Short mmCIF file of all heavy atoms in Angstrom, two decimals:
data_model
loop_
_atom_site.label_atom_id
_atom_site.label_comp_id
_atom_site.label_asym_id
_atom_site.label_seq_id
_atom_site.Cartn_x
_atom_site.Cartn_y
_atom_site.Cartn_z
N PHE A 18 -11.38 -11.11 -4.29
CA PHE A 18 -10.78 -10.43 -5.43
C PHE A 18 -9.81 -9.35 -4.95
O PHE A 18 -8.71 -9.22 -5.49
CB PHE A 18 -11.88 -9.80 -6.28
CG PHE A 18 -11.37 -8.93 -7.41
CD1 PHE A 18 -10.83 -9.49 -8.54
CD2 PHE A 18 -11.43 -7.54 -7.31
CE1 PHE A 18 -10.34 -8.69 -9.58
CE2 PHE A 18 -10.98 -6.75 -8.33
CZ PHE A 18 -10.44 -7.31 -9.48
N SER A 19 -10.19 -8.60 -3.93
CA SER A 19 -9.30 -7.58 -3.39
C SER A 19 -8.03 -8.19 -2.82
O SER A 19 -6.92 -7.66 -3.03
CB SER A 19 -10.03 -6.77 -2.30
OG SER A 19 -9.19 -5.75 -1.78
N SER A 20 -8.15 -9.31 -2.14
CA SER A 20 -6.98 -10.01 -1.60
C SER A 20 -6.08 -10.51 -2.73
O SER A 20 -4.85 -10.52 -2.62
CB SER A 20 -7.41 -11.17 -0.72
OG SER A 20 -8.21 -10.71 0.38
N TYR A 21 -6.72 -10.92 -3.83
CA TYR A 21 -5.96 -11.40 -5.00
C TYR A 21 -5.14 -10.26 -5.60
O TYR A 21 -3.98 -10.45 -5.99
CB TYR A 21 -6.93 -11.99 -6.01
CG TYR A 21 -6.30 -12.51 -7.27
CD1 TYR A 21 -5.21 -13.36 -7.25
CD2 TYR A 21 -6.83 -12.16 -8.52
CE1 TYR A 21 -4.66 -13.84 -8.41
CE2 TYR A 21 -6.28 -12.64 -9.69
CZ TYR A 21 -5.19 -13.48 -9.63
OH TYR A 21 -4.63 -13.96 -10.79
N LEU A 22 -5.72 -9.06 -5.71
CA LEU A 22 -4.97 -7.92 -6.23
C LEU A 22 -3.77 -7.60 -5.34
O LEU A 22 -2.69 -7.28 -5.82
CB LEU A 22 -5.90 -6.69 -6.31
CG LEU A 22 -7.05 -6.73 -7.30
CD1 LEU A 22 -7.81 -5.40 -7.27
CD2 LEU A 22 -6.57 -7.05 -8.71
N ASN A 23 -3.97 -7.71 -4.03
CA ASN A 23 -2.87 -7.46 -3.10
C ASN A 23 -1.79 -8.52 -3.26
O ASN A 23 -0.59 -8.21 -3.22
CB ASN A 23 -3.41 -7.47 -1.66
CG ASN A 23 -2.33 -7.16 -0.65
OD1 ASN A 23 -1.80 -6.05 -0.59
ND2 ASN A 23 -2.01 -8.15 0.18
N GLU A 24 -2.20 -9.75 -3.48
CA GLU A 24 -1.26 -10.86 -3.67
C GLU A 24 -0.41 -10.64 -4.92
O GLU A 24 0.78 -11.00 -4.94
CB GLU A 24 -2.03 -12.16 -3.78
CG GLU A 24 -1.21 -13.39 -4.06
CD GLU A 24 -2.08 -14.61 -4.27
OE1 GLU A 24 -3.10 -14.75 -3.57
OE2 GLU A 24 -1.73 -15.44 -5.14
N LEU A 25 -1.00 -10.05 -5.96
CA LEU A 25 -0.27 -9.81 -7.22
C LEU A 25 0.64 -8.60 -7.16
O LEU A 25 1.36 -8.33 -8.11
CB LEU A 25 -1.28 -9.64 -8.37
CG LEU A 25 -2.13 -10.85 -8.73
CD1 LEU A 25 -3.14 -10.49 -9.78
CD2 LEU A 25 -1.26 -12.01 -9.18
N GLY A 26 0.56 -7.85 -6.06
CA GLY A 26 1.40 -6.66 -5.93
C GLY A 26 0.91 -5.48 -6.75
O GLY A 26 1.72 -4.63 -7.15
N ILE A 27 -0.41 -5.39 -6.95
CA ILE A 27 -0.97 -4.23 -7.66
C ILE A 27 -0.74 -2.99 -6.81
O ILE A 27 -1.01 -3.00 -5.61
CB ILE A 27 -2.48 -4.43 -7.91
CG1 ILE A 27 -2.74 -5.72 -8.71
CG2 ILE A 27 -3.07 -3.23 -8.65
CD1 ILE A 27 -2.15 -5.76 -10.07
N PRO A 28 -0.24 -1.89 -7.38
CA PRO A 28 -0.02 -0.67 -6.60
C PRO A 28 -1.28 -0.23 -5.87
O PRO A 28 -2.40 -0.41 -6.37
CB PRO A 28 0.41 0.35 -7.66
CG PRO A 28 1.01 -0.48 -8.77
CD PRO A 28 0.23 -1.75 -8.79
N GLN A 29 -1.10 0.36 -4.70
CA GLN A 29 -2.23 0.71 -3.84
C GLN A 29 -3.22 1.64 -4.53
O GLN A 29 -4.44 1.47 -4.42
CB GLN A 29 -1.72 1.36 -2.55
CG GLN A 29 -2.79 1.66 -1.50
CD GLN A 29 -3.40 0.40 -0.92
OE1 GLN A 29 -2.89 -0.71 -1.14
NE2 GLN A 29 -4.50 0.55 -0.19
N ALA A 30 -2.73 2.64 -5.25
CA ALA A 30 -3.63 3.58 -5.92
C ALA A 30 -4.48 2.88 -6.98
O ALA A 30 -5.68 3.12 -7.10
CB ALA A 30 -2.84 4.72 -6.56
N THR A 31 -3.84 1.97 -7.73
CA THR A 31 -4.58 1.21 -8.75
C THR A 31 -5.57 0.27 -8.08
O THR A 31 -6.72 0.15 -8.51
CB THR A 31 -3.60 0.40 -9.61
OG1 THR A 31 -2.64 1.28 -10.20
CG2 THR A 31 -4.32 -0.35 -10.71
N HIS A 32 -5.14 -0.36 -7.00
CA HIS A 32 -5.99 -1.28 -6.24
C HIS A 32 -7.25 -0.57 -5.75
O HIS A 32 -8.38 -1.06 -5.92
CB HIS A 32 -5.18 -1.82 -5.06
CG HIS A 32 -5.85 -2.92 -4.31
ND1 HIS A 32 -5.15 -3.81 -3.53
CD2 HIS A 32 -7.16 -3.29 -4.20
CE1 HIS A 32 -6.00 -4.67 -2.99
NE2 HIS A 32 -7.21 -4.36 -3.38
N GLN A 33 -7.08 0.60 -5.16
CA GLN A 33 -8.21 1.35 -4.61
C GLN A 33 -9.20 1.75 -5.68
O GLN A 33 -10.42 1.66 -5.48
CB GLN A 33 -7.70 2.59 -3.87
CG GLN A 33 -7.03 2.28 -2.54
CD GLN A 33 -6.43 3.51 -1.92
OE1 GLN A 33 -6.07 4.47 -2.60
NE2 GLN A 33 -6.28 3.51 -0.61
N GLN A 34 -8.72 2.17 -6.82
CA GLN A 34 -9.63 2.65 -7.86
C GLN A 34 -10.33 1.48 -8.57
O GLN A 34 -11.47 1.63 -9.00
CB GLN A 34 -8.88 3.54 -8.84
CG GLN A 34 -8.41 4.83 -8.18
CD GLN A 34 -7.91 5.86 -9.17
OE1 GLN A 34 -8.44 5.98 -10.26
NE2 GLN A 34 -6.90 6.61 -8.80
N ILE A 35 -9.66 0.34 -8.68
CA ILE A 35 -10.33 -0.83 -9.24
C ILE A 35 -11.46 -1.28 -8.32
O ILE A 35 -12.55 -1.65 -8.78
CB ILE A 35 -9.32 -1.97 -9.47
CG1 ILE A 35 -8.39 -1.64 -10.63
CG2 ILE A 35 -10.04 -3.29 -9.73
CD1 ILE A 35 -7.29 -2.66 -10.86
N MET A 36 -11.22 -1.23 -7.01
CA MET A 36 -12.23 -1.64 -6.04
C MET A 36 -13.31 -0.56 -5.84
O MET A 36 -14.38 -0.85 -5.30
CB MET A 36 -11.57 -1.95 -4.69
CG MET A 36 -10.65 -3.16 -4.71
SD MET A 36 -11.49 -4.68 -5.15
CE MET A 36 -12.64 -4.84 -3.80
N GLY A 37 -13.01 0.68 -6.24
CA GLY A 37 -13.97 1.77 -6.01
C GLY A 37 -13.92 2.29 -4.59
O GLY A 37 -14.91 2.83 -4.08
N HIS A 38 -12.76 2.16 -3.94
CA HIS A 38 -12.59 2.65 -2.58
C HIS A 38 -11.91 4.00 -2.61
O HIS A 38 -11.06 4.26 -3.46
CB HIS A 38 -11.75 1.68 -1.74
CG HIS A 38 -12.42 0.38 -1.49
ND1 HIS A 38 -11.73 -0.78 -1.18
CD2 HIS A 38 -13.74 0.05 -1.50
CE1 HIS A 38 -12.60 -1.76 -1.02
NE2 HIS A 38 -13.81 -1.29 -1.22
N GLY A 39 -12.26 4.86 -1.66
CA GLY A 39 -11.63 6.16 -1.54
C GLY A 39 -10.32 6.06 -0.78
O GLY A 39 -10.20 5.28 0.18
N ALA A 40 -9.34 6.84 -1.18
CA ALA A 40 -8.08 6.88 -0.46
C ALA A 40 -8.20 7.78 0.77
O ALA A 40 -9.13 8.57 0.89
CB ALA A 40 -6.96 7.40 -1.38
N HIS A 41 -7.27 7.66 1.68
CA HIS A 41 -7.30 8.43 2.91
C HIS A 41 -6.45 9.71 2.82
O HIS A 41 -6.30 10.42 3.79
CB HIS A 41 -6.81 7.60 4.09
CG HIS A 41 -7.69 6.41 4.37
ND1 HIS A 41 -8.96 6.52 4.85
CD2 HIS A 41 -7.46 5.09 4.20
CE1 HIS A 41 -9.50 5.33 5.00
NE2 HIS A 41 -8.62 4.44 4.60
N ASP A 42 -5.89 9.96 1.68
CA ASP A 42 -5.06 11.15 1.54
C ASP A 42 -5.50 11.93 0.30
O ASP A 42 -6.13 11.40 -0.60
CB ASP A 42 -3.58 10.76 1.41
CG ASP A 42 -3.32 9.85 0.21
OD1 ASP A 42 -3.51 8.63 0.36
OD2 ASP A 42 -2.96 10.37 -0.85
N VAL A 43 -5.15 13.21 0.28
CA VAL A 43 -5.57 14.07 -0.81
C VAL A 43 -4.98 13.63 -2.14
O VAL A 43 -5.65 13.65 -3.18
CB VAL A 43 -5.17 15.54 -0.51
CG1 VAL A 43 -5.49 16.45 -1.70
CG2 VAL A 43 -5.90 16.04 0.72
N THR A 44 -3.70 13.21 -2.10
CA THR A 44 -3.05 12.78 -3.34
C THR A 44 -3.78 11.61 -3.95
O THR A 44 -4.09 11.58 -5.14
CB THR A 44 -1.59 12.41 -3.06
OG1 THR A 44 -0.92 13.54 -2.50
CG2 THR A 44 -0.89 12.00 -4.34
N GLY A 45 -4.08 10.60 -3.12
CA GLY A 45 -4.76 9.42 -3.64
C GLY A 45 -6.20 9.69 -4.04
O GLY A 45 -6.71 9.08 -4.98
N THR A 46 -6.87 10.61 -3.32
CA THR A 46 -8.28 10.86 -3.58
C THR A 46 -8.51 11.71 -4.82
O THR A 46 -9.36 11.43 -5.66
CB THR A 46 -8.92 11.56 -2.37
OG1 THR A 46 -8.72 10.73 -1.21
CG2 THR A 46 -10.42 11.75 -2.57
N PHE A 47 -7.74 12.80 -4.95
CA PHE A 47 -8.04 13.80 -5.99
C PHE A 47 -7.08 13.78 -7.17
O PHE A 47 -7.46 14.14 -8.27
CB PHE A 47 -8.04 15.20 -5.37
CG PHE A 47 -9.11 15.40 -4.34
CD1 PHE A 47 -8.80 15.39 -2.99
CD2 PHE A 47 -10.44 15.56 -4.72
CE1 PHE A 47 -9.79 15.57 -2.05
CE2 PHE A 47 -11.43 15.74 -3.78
CZ PHE A 47 -11.10 15.75 -2.43
N TYR A 48 -5.85 13.38 -6.96
CA TYR A 48 -4.85 13.59 -8.00
C TYR A 48 -4.37 12.32 -8.68
O TYR A 48 -3.89 12.38 -9.81
CB TYR A 48 -3.63 14.32 -7.41
CG TYR A 48 -3.97 15.72 -6.96
CD1 TYR A 48 -4.07 16.02 -5.61
CD2 TYR A 48 -4.23 16.73 -7.87
CE1 TYR A 48 -4.39 17.29 -5.18
CE2 TYR A 48 -4.57 18.01 -7.46
CZ TYR A 48 -4.64 18.28 -6.11
OH TYR A 48 -4.97 19.54 -5.70
N THR A 49 -4.49 11.17 -8.02
CA THR A 49 -4.00 9.92 -8.61
C THR A 49 -5.09 9.23 -9.41
O THR A 49 -6.16 8.97 -8.89
CB THR A 49 -3.48 8.97 -7.52
OG1 THR A 49 -2.47 9.64 -6.74
CG2 THR A 49 -2.89 7.72 -8.15
N ARG A 50 -4.82 8.98 -10.67
CA ARG A 50 -5.74 8.25 -11.53
C ARG A 50 -4.98 7.12 -12.22
O ARG A 50 -3.76 7.21 -12.44
CB ARG A 50 -6.35 9.18 -12.60
CG ARG A 50 -7.26 10.26 -12.01
CD ARG A 50 -8.53 9.64 -11.44
NE ARG A 50 -9.41 10.66 -10.88
CZ ARG A 50 -9.42 11.02 -9.61
NH1 ARG A 50 -8.56 10.50 -8.74
NH2 ARG A 50 -10.27 11.93 -9.18
N ILE A 51 -5.71 6.06 -12.55
CA ILE A 51 -5.05 4.93 -13.22
C ILE A 51 -4.76 5.31 -14.66
O ILE A 51 -5.70 5.63 -15.41
CB ILE A 51 -5.93 3.69 -13.18
CG1 ILE A 51 -6.30 3.31 -11.74
CG2 ILE A 51 -5.23 2.50 -13.83
CD1 ILE A 51 -7.19 2.10 -11.65
N THR A 52 -3.51 5.24 -15.06
CA THR A 52 -3.19 5.46 -16.47
C THR A 52 -3.52 4.17 -17.23
O THR A 52 -3.69 3.09 -16.67
CB THR A 52 -1.69 5.78 -16.63
OG1 THR A 52 -0.91 4.67 -16.15
CG2 THR A 52 -1.33 7.03 -15.83
#
């Protein structure tokens, strides 16, 4: 499923939050949310 999201070109921030993975940067971890 994760590979499928990457194949569809889902933005990285959206991809991470759909998968429930934490980002490696402060912006992705604390400030970016899926609209």
Side-chain angles (χ1 to χ4, degrees):
F18 174 75
S19 181
S20 300
Y21 179 50
L22 294 182
N23 183 66
E24 177 185 322
L25 294 176
I27 302 297
Q29 185 68 11
T31 304
H32 188 159
Q33 287 175 334
Q34 293 192 36
I35 289 176
M36 294 299 297
H38 293 157
H41 297 291
D42 59 276
V43 175
T44 301
T46 304
F47 296 103
Y48 295 107
T49 304
R50 293 292 181 267
I51 303 179
T52 62

